[in-house]
Amino acid sequence: MKKKLVVGLVGLCLAGMSAPAFAGQWKLNPRACPDLREDRADRREDRRDARRNYGYRDRAEDRWDRRENRRDEAVTICPISAFYYEGNRREARRYAKARPPLAWDRRARMYYRYNNGIKIYVRT
């Protein structure tokens, strides 16, 4: 009888821990991040510039510009104000002044956060 009670309690605890959490999530507002806005404007300008070809120097300049844009897009730095908390409807509205959880990158000496699998450095 005692074993059945212990097994039942363990099963009940495991079922309770596997219940879904009703928590919100931190999201990134790309319009509030100047680096993402600059990358978007550069891509738009590249498309506009690629439509016209004025010879070898123009093609070389386009190539150099694309290389610079790739290097610039490799590292994204956003201010902490670009992140906002989207809470669950069951959750209290107490995260208005909260900050997203961040990790420290020793090599870059900056805080970062992953957003859709992309590492975004956060300027605090």
Side-chain angles (χ1 to χ4, degrees):
M1 181 70 180
K2 200 173 189 181
K3 274 188 178 178
K4 288 182 182 180
L5 184 64
V6 170
V7 169
L9 272 170
V10 169
L12 187 64
C13 288
L14 286 175
M17 288 190 304
S18 67
F22 297 108
Q25 58 185 343
W26 287 95
K27 292 187 175 184
L28 175 70
N29 181 7
R31 291 183 177 162
C33 182
D35 201 13
L36 292 175
R37 285 193 323 231
E38 178 195 2
D39 293 344
R40 185 172 180 229
D42 285 344
R43 283 192 301 268
R44 192 176 341 141
E45 195 269 331
D46 281 347
R47 285 192 305 267
R48 190 180 314 123
D49 196 26
R51 286 186 214 131
R52 291 178 179 82
N53 183 7
Y54 295 114
Y56 175 75
R57 286 186 179 157
D58 187 44
R59 288 193 307 266
E61 181 192 358
D62 292 348
R63 216 174 22 250
W64 297 330
D65 203 22
R66 283 193 303 269
R67 184 183 309 148
E68 178 195 357
N69 290 344
R70 279 194 304 269
R71 191 172 43 242
D72 188 38
E73 287 180 11
V75 177
T76 304
I77 302 173
C78 292
I80 199 160
S81 60
F83 290 91
Y84 66 96
Y85 186 77
E86 187 175 277
N88 193 331
R89 58 187 165 99
R90 298 179 182 172
E91 200 171 22
R93 305 274 185 235
R94 62 176 180 260
Y95 290 103
K97 298 288 183 183
R99 295 173 60 153
L102 303 172
W104 179 256
D105 187 358
R106 275 191 264 160
R107 210 171 61 189
R109 295 183 181 172
M110 291 184 76
Y111 288 103
Y112 69 91
R113 178 170 176 76
Y114 280 102
N115 186 41
N116 296 332
I118 299 170
K119 184 188 272 190
I120 296 182
Y121 289 100
V122 178
R123 185 166 287 137
T124 55

